[in-house]
């Protein structure tokens, strides 16, 4: 097993891996073309505002804009029917997946080129060599498939793949500038960091950390400090417009509100995600809460000023203005007891074959492996800080795909092998690649045949029913722009977005609603009638009581519609 130089990269092997990556991505995008979640609708709504130049609603302190704007441009240009809007969003996701693939390839090549540089004295004296290019390609692409198609999944219309692309791009530009210290290379680092912030708020503080770590990395080099100053200046120039827009919108300095609100929701004081009224002690003063128009059962109205299908989730930062978070050691420990094991599960139990392979490769290199890790410490630190950023609040695997990919690539690039361990390393590489590839084939097969477990409405075909409901509502005369009230949670009413309706009021879930006395239901109808809603939509009751003749069933769907004002 001899060391290969960057110039001898096995191009035939990489072409095959690239083609496989594109085919896998296309299959996953097509299999999940009718899948969305509540976040997806908010991104689509903000994108629509951007395309129609509704600047007041095209920027949000909750949702980062770049992904929304990409969706909005695609929707605005193509103008798809309800049947094709979600597949079009997945086509955008697939394009982002391809961009992430190219950014990953850029990073992988930079790591391979770095390993091909002459070894420093401690390594050269031991006749050590890094993993050859073919091994880095096989292991790198298998990790890419796992993180992009299973940890994050292409069937969710979210910016997670774009975040992964940004993480790879930032790391790759840092490695490139290490070899080529021209001013525009440093500027490219700052640009990548700035694009990351426009893609996801968490990448702003991470960008500041990355700049500091990068400066310390090679601070003894003569031109390094000036170059990092250029990177910092470009990062500031790219980020400043968004910071200024958000700060102007909120009347206070902010680079995004998602972190502080999530902390208040999940850690302390643990306020509800919807309907916070400022009544919980220590939670702050609700500046503009949802308007509660009925106490029993709860009925909320939220017609204006936030645009979108379901305003409470189009911009949670508006409805939670004034919410205060507070640090509490007891509350923080309670959350960490959940999030830390979850991240350990992702990094260890999710892919034990990969972890075992890295451990064996590290043992084959002995202390030399740790020397390789230290040579790449800024990238390792960047991935660990990214993983750690979510620990105090909430762990969701799809948020962590980019940082997980970067961490494993660094651990693989750090491998240094003595001559006697190179044959064993080849066997380990082949075994890990084989098991991870077979696992991906199995997962893809289950996804295509709809055997991937779906929960909370999340799955490869979760919105097919909503497409039919939107088409039927249009056929029943419900026009785009109609304001409606809903029985149940409005954030999963995907049909309302497809039909271009605006939910302005909501009440309790359908089961509880239909089980309530007739007088209670009539009180809800009267409360809805006081809003500007023109009709009520609910899941039809499966059991008695029978609904009145005023209700109209939406054919082929479980929904019923009641025009307002109603006859009885």
């Amino acid at each position: 097993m001899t060391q290969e130089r960057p110039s001898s990269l096995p191009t035939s092997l990489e072409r095959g891996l690239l083609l496989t990556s594109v085919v896998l991505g296309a299959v996953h995008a097509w299999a999940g073309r009718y899948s969305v979640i509540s976040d997806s609708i908010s991104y689509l709504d903000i994108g629509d505002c951007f395309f129609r130049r509704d600047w007041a609603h095209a920027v949000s302190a909750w949702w980062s804009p770049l992904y929304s704007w990409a969706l909005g441009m695609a929707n605005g240009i193509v103008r798809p029917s309800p049947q094709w809007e979600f597949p079009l969003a997945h086509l955008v996701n697939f394009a982002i997946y391809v961009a992430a693939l190219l950014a990953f390839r850029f990073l992988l090549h930079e790591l391979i080129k770095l390993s091909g540089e002459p070894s420093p004295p401690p390594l050269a004296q031991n006749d050590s060599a890094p993993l050859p290019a073919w091994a880095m390609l096989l292991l790198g692409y298998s990790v890419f498939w796992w993180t992009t198609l299973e940890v994050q999944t292409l069937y969710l219309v979210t910016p997670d793949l774009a975040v992964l692309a940004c993480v790879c791009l930032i790391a790759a530009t840092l490695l490139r500038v290490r070899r080529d210290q021209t001013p525009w290379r440093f500027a490219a680092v700052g640009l990548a960091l700035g694009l990351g912030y426009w893609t996801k708020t968490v990448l702003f503080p991470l960008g500041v950390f990355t700049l500091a770590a990068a400066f310390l990395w090679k601070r003894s080099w003569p031109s390094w400090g000036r170059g990092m100053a250029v990177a910092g200046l470009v990062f500031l120039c790219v980020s400043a417009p968004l910071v200024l827009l958000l700060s102007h919108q909120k009347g206070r300095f902010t680079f995004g509100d998602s972190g502080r609100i999530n902390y208040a929701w999940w850690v302390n004081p643990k306020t509800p995600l919807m309907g916070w009224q400022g009544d919980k002690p220590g939670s702050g003063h609700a500046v503009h809460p949802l308007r509660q128009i009925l106490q029993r059962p709860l009925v909320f109205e939220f017609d204006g000023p936030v645009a979108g299908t379901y305003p409470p989730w189009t911009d949670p930062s508006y409805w939670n203005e004034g919410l205060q978070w507070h640090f509490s050691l007891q509350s923080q420990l309670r959350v960490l007891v959940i999030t830390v094991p979850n991240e350990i599960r992702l990094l260890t139990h999710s892919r034990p074959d990969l972890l075992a392979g890295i451990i064996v490769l590290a043992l084959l290199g002995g202390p030399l492996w740790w020397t390789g890790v230290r040579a790449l410490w800024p990238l390792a630190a960047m991935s660990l800080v990214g993983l750690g950023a979510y620990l105090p609040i909430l762990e969701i695997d799809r948020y962590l795909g980019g940082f997980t990919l970067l961490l494993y690539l660094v651990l693989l690039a750090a491998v240094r092998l003595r001559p006697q361990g190179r044959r064993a390393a080849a066997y380990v590489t082949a075994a890990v690649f084989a098991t991870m590839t077979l696992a991906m084939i199995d997962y893809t097969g289950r996804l295509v045949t709809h055997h991937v477990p779906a929960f909370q409405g999340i799955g490869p075909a979760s919105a097919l029913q909503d497409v039919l409901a939107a088409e039927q509502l249009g056929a029943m005369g419900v026009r785009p722009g109609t304001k409606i009230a809903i029985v149940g949670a409005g954030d999963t009413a995907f049909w309302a977005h497809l039909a271009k309706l605006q939910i302005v009021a909501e009440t309790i879930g359908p089961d509880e609603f239909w089980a309530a006395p007739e007088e209670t239901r009539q009180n809800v109808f009267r409360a809805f009638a006081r809003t500007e809603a023109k009709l009520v939509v609910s899941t039809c009751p499966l059991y008695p009581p029978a609904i009145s003749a005023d209700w109209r069933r939406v054919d082929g769907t479980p929904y019923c519609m009641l025009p307002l004002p109603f006859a009885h």
Side-chain angles (χ1 to χ4, degrees):
M1 183 171 177
T2 58
Q3 181 179 359
E4 299 181 42
R5 309 298 292 181
S7 59
S8 61
L9 274 172
T11 54
S12 299
L13 174 62
E14 186 172 26
R15 285 171 186 164
L17 293 169
L18 281 170
L19 179 60
T20 302
S21 301
V22 172
V23 171
L24 280 172
V27 170
H28 280 240
W30 180 255
R33 64 193 180 278
Y34 287 114
S35 175
V36 290
I37 58 175
S38 54
D39 293 8
S40 312
I41 302 304
S42 298
Y43 284 115
L44 288 164
D45 284 339
I46 293 172
D48 291 342
C49 291
F50 171 75
F51 189 80
R52 65 173 181 260
R53 301 180 184 179
D54 179 3
W55 306 121
H57 298 109
V59 176
S60 165
W62 185 263
W63 311 104
S64 297
L66 205 56
Y67 180 69
S68 295
W69 293 357
L71 293 173
M73 289 296 293
N75 269 338
I77 294 171
V78 178
R79 298 185 179 277
S81 65
Q83 180 182 358
W84 291 105
E85 181 170 351
F86 291 160
L88 178 62
H90 284 278
L91 181 60
V92 174
N93 254 26
F94 176 69
I96 294 173
Y97 169 80
V98 173
L101 174 61
L102 295 177
F104 156 76
R105 180 178 181 272
F106 179 23
L107 171 59
L108 189 60
H109 277 232
E110 288 300 318
L111 287 169
I112 293 172
K113 289 174 182 176
L114 177 65
S115 67
E117 294 178 358
S119 301
L123 299 180
Q125 292 171 4
N126 287 280
D127 194 22
S128 64
L131 282 173
W134 68 264
M136 282 294 295
L137 288 173
L138 289 178
L139 294 174
Y141 275 88
S142 60
V143 177
F144 176 80
W145 297 336
W146 169 55
T147 52
T148 56
L149 299 176
E150 192 169 351
V151 174
Q152 296 188 326
T153 76
L154 253 174
Y155 66 74
L156 293 183
V157 181
T158 61
D160 302 308
L161 280 171
V163 173
L164 182 144
C166 290
V167 169
C168 289
L169 186 62
I170 292 166
T173 54
L174 276 176
L175 289 174
R176 174 64 64 87
V177 81
R178 178 185 174 278
R179 293 191 297 108
D180 182 8
Q181 298 165 50
T182 54
W184 77 271
R185 294 287 187 191
F186 284 102
V189 174
L191 178 61
L193 292 169
L195 288 175
Y197 168 50
W198 281 79
T199 304
K200 190 83 169 181
T201 302
V202 71
L203 294 183
F204 182 81
L206 185 64
V208 175
F209 171 83
T210 302
L211 280 173
F215 170 76
L216 295 174
W217 190 21
K218 301 295 179 183
R219 63 187 183 277
S220 61
W221 291 8
S223 61
W224 190 260
R226 292 191 299 273
M228 293 313 301
V230 171
L233 180 62
V234 173
F235 175 50
L236 178 63
C237 290
V238 174
S239 303
L242 182 55
V243 174
L244 291 174
L245 282 171
L246 295 178
S247 299
H248 175 74
Q249 185 183 78
K250 293 298 181 182
R252 53 179 169 78
F253 173 78
T254 181
F255 60 86
D257 287 354
S258 55
R260 68 174 188 84
I261 294 175
N262 268 304
Y263 196 92
W265 281 351
W266 299 102
V267 186
N268 192 46
K270 294 198 72 173
T271 55
L273 275 65
M274 302 285 186
W276 173 63
Q277 302 291 299
D279 49 354
K280 187 167 187 177
S283 63
H285 169 67
V287 178
H288 19 68
L290 302 182
R291 293 173 285 279
Q292 184 176 316
I293 58 176
L294 190 66
Q295 178 65 34
R296 293 184 180 178
L298 283 174
V299 176
F300 290 107
E301 185 265 336
F302 32 81
D303 185 10
V306 178
T309 304
Y310 182 63
W313 202 240
T314 303
D315 188 1
S317 70
Y318 175 83
W319 306 103
N320 286 275
E321 185 68 38
L323 179 61
Q324 299 293 324
W325 65 274
H326 304 283
F327 177 78
S328 164
L329 182 59
Q330 182 179 4
S331 300
Q332 187 62 82
L333 291 175
R334 184 180 63 245
V335 172
L336 290 173
V337 165
I338 299 172
T339 58
V340 171
N342 280 344
E343 286 206 11
I344 292 174
R345 169 197 52 77
L346 172 65
L347 295 173
T348 58
H349 301 306
S350 295
R351 286 257 55 99
D353 46 357
L354 175 62
L355 179 65
I358 290 177
I359 291 174
V360 172
L361 291 172
L363 291 174
L364 288 173
L368 301 178
W369 176 77
W370 180 243
T371 302
V373 172
R374 285 190 298 169
L376 293 169
W377 73 264
L379 302 189
M382 176 183 166
S383 62
L384 292 174
V385 170
L387 291 166
Y390 292 95
L391 287 177
I393 303 175
L394 179 68
E395 189 281 335
I396 297 179
D397 286 358
R398 64 184 177 87
Y399 294 165
L400 308 176
F403 305 115
T404 302
L405 173 62
L406 178 59
L407 178 61
Y408 277 122
L409 289 179
V410 168
L411 296 180
L412 290 169
V415 171
R416 295 295 184 271
L417 300 169
R418 297 184 177 90
Q420 61 270 26
R422 294 172 190 174
R423 181 179 295 273
Y427 292 140
V428 170
T429 297
V432 172
F433 177 75
T435 57
M436 292 191 71
T437 301
L438 289 173
M440 179 51 60
I441 293 172
D442 172 69
Y443 177 76
T444 301
R446 289 186 287 114
L447 180 74
V448 171
T449 57
H450 304 296
H451 286 86
V452 173
F455 59 96
Q456 297 178 348
I458 299 174
S462 61
L464 271 171
Q465 184 175 265
D466 295 85
V467 173
L468 180 59
E471 293 175 339
Q472 288 296 320
L473 286 169
M476 295 169 72
V478 181
R479 302 271 68 89
T482 300
K483 295 182 178 181
I484 67 170
I486 189 170
V487 176
D491 60 327
T492 54
F494 307 142
W495 49 266
H497 173 81
L498 293 172
K500 304 307 175 189
L501 310 178
Q502 184 181 356
I503 302 171
V504 297
E506 70 177 353
T507 188
I508 55 179
D511 293 341
E512 187 179 354
F513 175 80
W514 291 111
E518 175 64 21
E519 181 182 355
T520 299
R521 297 201 299 272
Q522 293 298 324
N523 288 337
V524 172
F525 295 148
R526 281 189 283 269
F528 282 157
R530 293 197 298 271
T531 71
E532 295 200 15
K534 303 303 180 185
L535 55 92
V536 182
V537 179
S538 171
T539 302
C540 302
L542 297 177
Y543 306 103
I547 59 176
S548 69
D550 298 303
W551 285 89
R552 299 173 61 189
R553 290 186 178 271
V554 182
D555 292 339
T557 77
Y559 301 113
C560 294
M561 179 183 77
L562 174 68
L564 291 173
F566 49 90
H568 303 288

